[in-house]
Amino acid sequence: MEMRGLMGGLYKISEWIMRLSVTNVLWIICSIPFIFLIFPVIVAQSTDQLLSSLILSSIIAPFTLFPATAAMFGVARKWVMGEVDAPLLRTFFRNYKESYVQSMVGGILYVILFTILIVDFQVYLRELKSFQLISYLFIAIMALLAVSLFNFFSMVVHYHMKTFQLLKNAVLLTIGRPFRSLSTAVMCGLVVYISFSSAKLMFLVPFFTGSVVAVISFWGFYQIYMKLQLQAEKAAATQAEAELMNLNEEVKKDNDEGQAAHK
């Protein structure tokens, strides 16, 4: 029997707290090697320690963090598409297994791209001081690449495509829908900012931050997907209608010619 009223509302809230927290904890557990290597960045006391931690964590990220994130997006996909009662463990690990290779390959390419952009940013900011304004362009490109990464994870769990097609389409979708991409970036950035803004709110990181970001990101992607589907259906309907009209005109023309020949 479905509960209604205040108790029903509290029950639904508790269900969502459980879903989000369990998914986030699974994401954390599967990303432990990356977390173990990235944690020293917070307590680094020298530039060498900072760089070594970043390099090691970047190397391990495609093999741990990226597949775990894709699995988390797979769970978020179920929720956004209305399958809120999908089994969490089974859904998470099935997506982890099925998307591991693509998310790993995509992760390697994204890490390489981010590394190149960061190095170029540092060069233009510190070495080529007469071209410092160009360094802000690299910040914009990195932000764009970060949003395309969210779209990449959404596409990995939603489409059956080759990895390079997913990467290309993720970037094109991000550029082609700038307002949706911007709103997704702002909302996800706000969630991350709130999570790290205070020591009292740091509990959000291991239990909610990742899963909430995944839901927001996939919801934004799915809105674009639905609009594209609607546009494709309208275009197909228009084309079918035009073909039907042409066919009717040809039939009428044949009938007219037949009548004229009969006379």
Side-chain angles (χ1 to χ4, degrees):
M1 182 177 178
E2 184 180 355
M3 290 186 291
R4 297 181 179 179
L6 179 61
M7 291 303 296
L10 291 174
Y11 179 74
K12 288 182 179 179
I13 291 172
S14 64
E15 273 193 322
W16 276 108
I17 290 174
M18 183 273 295
R19 290 182 187 121
L20 291 167
S21 59
V22 169
T23 304
N24 205 90
V25 169
L26 289 173
W27 174 60
I28 293 290
I29 291 172
C30 292
S31 304
I32 281 179
F34 170 80
I35 295 171
F36 179 78
L37 291 173
I38 198 67
F39 183 76
V41 172
I42 303 173
V43 295
Q45 297 180 351
S46 66
T47 304
D48 292 338
Q49 290 179 350
L50 178 65
L51 287 175
S52 61
S53 298
L54 285 174
I55 291 171
L56 289 174
S57 59
S58 298
I59 292 172
I60 202 68
F63 305 96
T64 55
L65 177 66
F66 281 77
T69 305
M72 181 171 61
F73 268 72
V75 178
R77 173 181 178 270
K78 292 286 187 181
W79 296 340
V80 172
M81 296 182 68
E83 299 180 47
V84 294
D85 294 323
L88 295 178
L89 291 174
R90 187 187 307 169
T91 303
F92 184 92
F93 286 108
R94 184 175 66 245
N95 279 280
Y96 186 91
K97 180 181 178 181
E98 292 177 353
S99 61
Y100 186 89
V101 175
Q102 284 193 318
S103 58
M104 178 192 68
V105 174
I108 291 172
L109 293 175
Y110 268 102
V111 167
I112 292 172
L113 289 174
F114 273 114
T115 301
I116 293 171
L117 290 172
I118 291 171
V119 170
D120 287 340
F121 169 74
Q122 293 291 334
V123 169
Y124 277 94
L125 184 66
R126 296 180 178 179
E127 304 297 332
L128 304 175
K129 294 186 177 180
S130 57
F131 296 97
Q132 279 187 346
L133 288 176
I134 298 178
S135 63
Y136 295 103
L137 175 62
F138 289 106
I139 294 176
I141 295 174
M142 282 189 281
L144 183 69
L145 195 63
V147 178
S148 75
L149 180 58
F150 292 145
N151 286 328
F152 170 74
F153 285 127
S154 297
M155 287 184 165
V156 165
V157 299
H158 195 69
Y159 289 113
H160 293 288
M161 294 182 181
K162 293 183 178 179
T163 306
F164 289 100
Q165 286 181 317
L166 291 171
L167 290 166
K168 181 185 70 174
N169 290 335
V171 174
L172 291 176
L173 189 67
T174 304
I175 297 172
R177 303 286 174 168
F179 295 108
R180 177 65 67 181
S181 300
L182 179 62
S183 63
T184 299
V186 169
M187 288 189 289
C188 292
L190 185 61
V191 171
V192 174
Y193 173 77
I194 292 173
S195 301
F196 288 93
S197 62
S198 170
K200 295 179 180 179
L201 296 175
M202 285 291 289
F203 75 93
L204 295 173
V205 177
F207 292 106
F208 297 104
T209 303
S211 54
V212 171
V213 167
V215 171
I216 292 172
S217 300
F218 190 85
W219 180 83
F221 161 79
Y222 195 63
Q223 298 306 305
I224 298 173
Y225 169 79
M226 293 299 291
K227 287 183 179 180
L228 292 175
Q229 285 288 99
L230 184 60
Q231 290 174 1
E233 290 174 2
K234 287 182 178 179
T238 302
Q239 184 178 359
E241 185 178 353
E243 291 176 355
L244 182 60
M245 289 179 64
N246 291 334
L247 180 61
N248 289 335
E249 289 178 359
E250 290 178 2
V251 171
K252 184 179 178 181
K253 183 178 179 181
D254 290 341
N255 290 337
D256 291 341
E257 290 178 353
Q259 291 176 2
H262 181 69
K263 291 179 180 180

